[in-house]
Amino acid sequence: MQAFQLVVLLSVFVRCCLCNGTLSLFGDYHREHLPVQLSLNESQEDGNLLLPFNTTRVSGSPEALGIQQFILDHFTTGLQNNWTVEQDNFQENGYNFTNLVFTLDTARSDANKNGTKYILFAAHYDTLVNPAGFIGAVDSAASCAILMYLAQFLDTLAYEDRELLQQTILGGEYGVKIVFFDGEEAIEEWTATDSIYGSRHLAAQWLEDGTMEQIELFVLLDLLGGATTKQVPRWKIKSYYKEAHRHYQQLSKIEDAYLADPATPFSKKELFPSDVLYMMMGRVLIEDDHVPFYNASVPILHLIPFPFPETWHTIGDTFDTLDEAEIQRWAVLLSEFAVDTMAGPQ
Ligand SMILES: *[C@@H]1O[C@H](CO)[C@@H](O)[C@H](O)[C@H]1NC(C)=O
Ligand SMILES: *[C@@H]1O[C@H](CO)[C@@H](O)[C@H](O)[C@H]1NC(C)=O
Ligand SMILES: *[C@@H]1O[C@H](CO)[C@@H](O)[C@H](O)[C@H]1NC(C)=O
Ligand SMILES: *[C@@H]1O[C@H](CO)[C@@H](O)[C@H](O)[C@H]1NC(C)=O
Ligand SMILES: *[C@@H]1O[C@H](CO)[C@@H](O)[C@H](O)[C@H]1NC(C)=O
Ligand SMILES: *[C@@H]1O[C@H](CO)[C@@H](O)[C@H](O)[C@H]1NC(C)=O
Ligand SMILES: *[C@@H]1O[C@H](CO)[C@@H](O)[C@H](O)[C@H]1NC(C)=O
Ligand SMILES: [Zn+2]
């Protein structure tokens, strides 16, 4: 297993916490960084990637511009490698929108001779205009913070020892793109033209400039990180698209290994690979930022619980309803998943 090899190579830096040979999570790295970077403790401000999102983020507003700057600073000055930074600015419906696109080229130079291919991870950072004061903690502050953590994790792996890593993700099949979409939410009411402003704009651009053909897989995070309740005893993230079902299965295996670790605070799965009902329907049942990419035949792994959290699109979607452990769970699973997928088929 690729990730296992990586752990052996970097045994000083990370050590697996699941040493029974099947999977390795980068235990020491996460133990060191998660409590600080994905913390809900208000006294823990330094290096915190989550708390800055505890604000409204209406497209084009001063708060949204502040969050854009926070994200940009993370990638340009916080990280060690040279991420390519692109800002996709445009106006529509009287609003200013900005997608933020970050690329790390880690693929082997001879991989994919027709041009580098990428695994794309994305979430949206904007929030609803109404109700006024809507924070969007699960929608999608937590997902954005998880992506920032993932970026830092991959950046650290790629930086620590480029030579050793030639055999692993740096010498793998795929690079990575991380996208923060603006304008996912409708301004008035969800229609084809009043929603997913950012992803529609970026997809149109990528169809034109050929980038779309370079996207091997699109992993979309949404509504993650909420606390479960009596009504929702645990989250269920379905496999929605058969084109990405093998990736769903792969993530589920990582989840199994994670749950088997005595140190994890959870025992229940959220992924159910045998539950193929949605996938078999073969169409879009939950509209989100993936739709324009789905229409362009990109395989989609949509990580969204269904049913949605009870606080969805209510003023109650606040940081009080987030679950730190749940957020950290996704950060760990996606870190491992990214390394595995970027390495390419084994
Ligand atoms: C989020 O912001 C609200 C309003 O400013 C504040 O009351 C709350 O304590 C903050 N939550 C966290 C976890 O920082
Ligand atoms: C929050 O962080 C502060 C400062 O690091 C620490 O002293 C405190 O114990 C933490 N609170 C909780 C509930 O973990
Ligand atoms: C980042 O880019 C600068 C300028 O192009 C270069 O000097 C530096 O070596 C690069 N750093 C890494 C880690 O690739
Ligand atoms: C959009 O941005 C432009 C240039 O940055 C600015 O002049 C304009 O006032 C903004 N429009 C809105 C509606 O915020
Ligand atoms: C490269 O592109 C050509 C022409 O589109 C195609 O036939 C070939 O399979 C591609 N090779 C790879 C490795 O993707
Ligand atoms: C790894 O550990 C898990 C949980 O303890 C166990 O279910 C699984 O069978 C073990 N795998 C191997 C190969 O030992
Ligand atoms: C995607 O395709 C469907 C079906 O052809 C179409 O109705 C929809 O408008 C398209 N959406 C986007 C955002 O491309
Ligand atoms: Zn929403």
Side-chain angles (χ1 to χ4, degrees):
M1 191 106 215
Q2 199 68 27
F4 181 70
Q5 218 181 348
L6 183 59
V7 164
V8 172
L9 292 172
L10 288 175
S11 54
V12 184
F13 157 58
V14 283
R15 208 168 51 236
C16 66
C17 58
L18 274 167
C19 289
N20 72 1
T22 48
L23 265 166
S24 55
L25 304 172
F26 298 86
D28 285 357
Y29 180 90
H30 298 308
R31 267 189 290 277
E32 183 184 336
H33 292 88
L34 283 172
V36 178
Q37 296 184 319
L38 295 179
S39 167
L40 284 168
N41 181 344
E42 286 171 74
S43 324
Q44 185 57 68
E45 280 178 72
D46 257 16
N48 196 314
L49 301 175
L50 182 57
L51 294 182
F53 285 91
N54 186 11
T55 169
T56 59
R57 302 177 298 281
V58 172
S59 299
S61 67
E63 294 81 9
L65 301 188
I67 280 295
Q68 285 168 25
Q69 198 56 51
F70 171 65
I71 298 171
L72 281 167
D73 286 348
H74 181 63
F75 281 85
T76 54
T77 62
L79 302 186
Q80 303 169 90
N81 284 284
N82 293 327
W83 291 70
T84 306
V85 178
E86 292 161 276
Q87 291 189 57
D88 174 26
N89 298 305
F90 63 101
Q91 293 187 316
E92 205 179 321
N93 216 348
Y95 283 78
N96 284 336
F97 298 100
T98 302
N99 296 316
L100 298 173
V101 182
F102 303 96
T103 305
L104 187 62
D105 280 301
T106 53
R108 213 174 56 233
S109 55
D110 68 338
N112 298 301
K113 290 204 168 52
N114 290 352
T116 305
K117 296 216 171 180
Y118 298 96
I119 310 295
L120 168 63
F121 292 88
H124 76 88
Y125 70 88
D126 65 302
T127 53
L128 288 170
V129 179
N130 289 306
F134 177 82
I135 295 296
V138 297
D139 191 10
S140 277
S143 295
C144 289
I146 292 166
L147 289 185
M148 290 176 77
Y149 181 88
L150 172 64
Q152 171 147 1
F153 171 78
L154 293 174
D155 185 79
T156 308
L157 287 194
Y159 181 77
E160 287 298 315
D161 195 327
R162 284 186 161 252
E163 298 227 337
L164 284 179
L165 285 169
Q166 289 306 322
Q167 300 308 312
T168 56
I169 57 169
L170 269 180
E173 288 284 308
Y174 309 112
V176 66
K177 283 185 188 281
I178 297 187
V179 174
F180 297 83
F181 285 119
D182 198 355
E184 187 265 352
E185 303 288 6
I187 291 162
E188 302 280 340
E189 198 178 332
W190 191 283
T191 64
T193 51
D194 186 8
S195 66
I196 57 166
Y197 291 89
S199 52
R200 284 189 287 122
H201 193 266
L202 191 68
Q205 185 184 308
W206 281 7
L207 279 170
E208 206 168 294
D209 69 14
T211 307
M212 194 66 93
E213 286 167 33
Q214 295 178 285
I215 307 303
E216 183 70 14
L217 173 70
F218 179 0
V219 184
L220 179 60
L221 287 61
D222 206 353
L223 307 183
L224 298 181
T228 52
T229 62
K230 263 203 188 114
Q231 286 74 30
V232 185
R234 63 177 154 156
W235 299 115
K236 290 187 179 160
I237 315 264
K238 313 288 170 81
S239 181
Y240 301 104
Y241 299 102
K242 63 176 182 311
E243 295 79 6
H245 190 62
R246 69 185 174 92
H247 293 293
Y248 182 97
Q249 289 170 312
Q250 176 191 1
L251 185 57
S252 171
K253 278 193 193 140
I254 292 169
E255 185 192 43
D256 289 340
Y258 177 71
L259 294 178
D261 180 351
T264 77
F266 301 99
S267 58
K268 295 215 158 76
K269 278 184 73 67
E270 296 183 9
L271 298 160
F272 305 92
S274 59
D275 183 355
V276 295
L277 179 68
Y278 289 85
M279 178 187 111
M280 294 313 286
M281 291 192 205
R283 59 189 190 87
V284 173
L285 296 162
I286 301 173
E287 288 189 30
D288 206 341
D289 281 320
H290 62 299
V291 173
F293 297 83
Y294 174 86
N295 280 6
S297 301
V298 173
I300 309 291
L301 183 60
H302 197 188
L303 300 177
I304 188 170
F306 192 79
F308 295 164
E310 295 141 84
T311 56
W312 176 70
H313 283 193
T314 72
I315 197 73
D317 184 2
T318 65
F319 271 52
D320 295 345
T321 67
L322 290 180
D323 180 345
E324 193 176 277
E326 178 68 21
I327 294 169
Q328 297 185 0
R329 167 192 186 127
W330 280 104
V332 172
L333 296 188
L334 289 172
S335 295
E336 181 81 9
F337 178 79
V339 171
D340 247 22
T341 347
M342 287 163 73
Q346 297 305 297

